[in-house]
């Protein structure tokens, strides 16, 4: 009875998983139509391609793993199509970055795992080795949309988080968790339970922001530019004000310098000359000389 129930749940899981894998079709129809990937991320499709490829290999190693093989082989085929379209229509920088990621993960890493499992790992632990890797990358597949969730919260728009993808991830995690309990497969159960939780979180975020007015990236860039211009204007005004204040301060210092009495050493240096000159004058000349000196001093003060 348990085997029959697990088979039925597995079939349901196959249907839901294929719907999950097919949910980005609408997204990529838009990409092909606009000939641009816009703000869509390529990482979820790359990681899902790796995950489904590993699960296909796991199903081939696992006894009675037919349901695992069928669903993941179909998923890997669809993900390969998505990744190919993304590489065709992505901007040059994204194209290079995603291409490198595909080469590292989907070619280099996957090929190394298959070769190591078949040639270097003991027969009794092959399933465990591949199962651990599959579980890890399934968690990565479910966690990949976290970056999109962050974008939704930042832009307050669900434009780049398709509802059906989030909904079917939620269902997929729940159904395969039940299947894992029935067949007692730890490697299938743990990552899909995590996927069920993350799918629930995506649905909550979608319900929060689905009626919000989207903020386009162009609007955000325009606001940032306006803010930068305003800050630059304020800085220039401060610089001009600071320069004016500095010039005024220098002028005040110079004016104050003119009004100060002559330095003491200069006056002391001139005193012997005045004394000698005074001794050489008679009474009338002395009186007129001091009067003339007083007039000069008064004129100098009035000038300053």
């Amino acid at each position: 009875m348990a085997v029959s129930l697990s088979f039925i749940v597995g079939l349901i899981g196959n249907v839901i998983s294929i719907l999950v894998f097919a949910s980005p079709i609408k997204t990529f129809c838009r990409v092909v139509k606009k000939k641009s990937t816009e703000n869509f991320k390529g990482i979820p499709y790359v990681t899902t391609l790796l995950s489904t490829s590993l699960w296909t290999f796991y199903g081939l190693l696992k006894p009675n793993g037919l349901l695992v093989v069928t669903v993941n082989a179909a998923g890997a085929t669809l993900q390969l199509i998505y990744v190919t379209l993304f590489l065709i229509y992505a901007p040059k920088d994204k194209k290079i970055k995603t291409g490198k990621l595909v080469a590292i993960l989907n070619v280099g890493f996957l090929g190394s795992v298959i070769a190591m499992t078949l040639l270097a790992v003991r027969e009794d632990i092959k399933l465990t080795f591949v199962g651990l890797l599959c579980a890890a990358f399934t968690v990565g597949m479910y966690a990949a949309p976290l970056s999109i969730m962050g974008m939704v919260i930042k832009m307050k728009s669900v434009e780049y988080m398709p509802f059906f993808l989030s909904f079917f991830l939620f269902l997929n995690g729940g159904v395969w968790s039940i299947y894992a309990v029935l067949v007692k497969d730890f490697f299938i159960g743990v990552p899909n339970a995590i996927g069920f939780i993350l799918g629930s979180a995506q649905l909550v975020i979608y319900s929060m922001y689905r009626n919000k007015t989207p903020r386009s990236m162009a609007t955000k860039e325009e606001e940032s530019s306006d803010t930068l211009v305003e800050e630059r204007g304020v800085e220039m005004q401060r610089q001009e004000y600071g320069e004016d204040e500095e010039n005024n301060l220098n002028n005040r210092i110079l004016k104050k310098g003119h009004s100060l009495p002559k330095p003491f050493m200069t006056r002391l240096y001139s005193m012997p000359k005045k004394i000698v000159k005074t001794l050489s004058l008679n009474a009338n000349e002395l009186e007129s000389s001091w009067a003339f000196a007083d007039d000069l001093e008064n004129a100098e003060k009035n000038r300053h």
Side-chain angles (χ1 to χ4, degrees), residues 195-210:
F196 177 76
I197 296 171
L198 292 177
S200 302
Q202 289 183 55
L203 292 178
V204 170
I205 291 175
Y206 189 94
S207 65
M208 290 172 60
Y209 293 104
R210 65 189 178 91

Side-chain angles (χ1 to χ4, degrees), residues 249-264:
L249 179 61
N250 291 335
N251 291 332
R252 288 198 298 269
I253 291 173
L254 290 174
K255 290 180 180 179
K256 186 175 180 181
H258 286 301
S259 64
L260 289 176
K262 293 181 179 181
F264 175 74

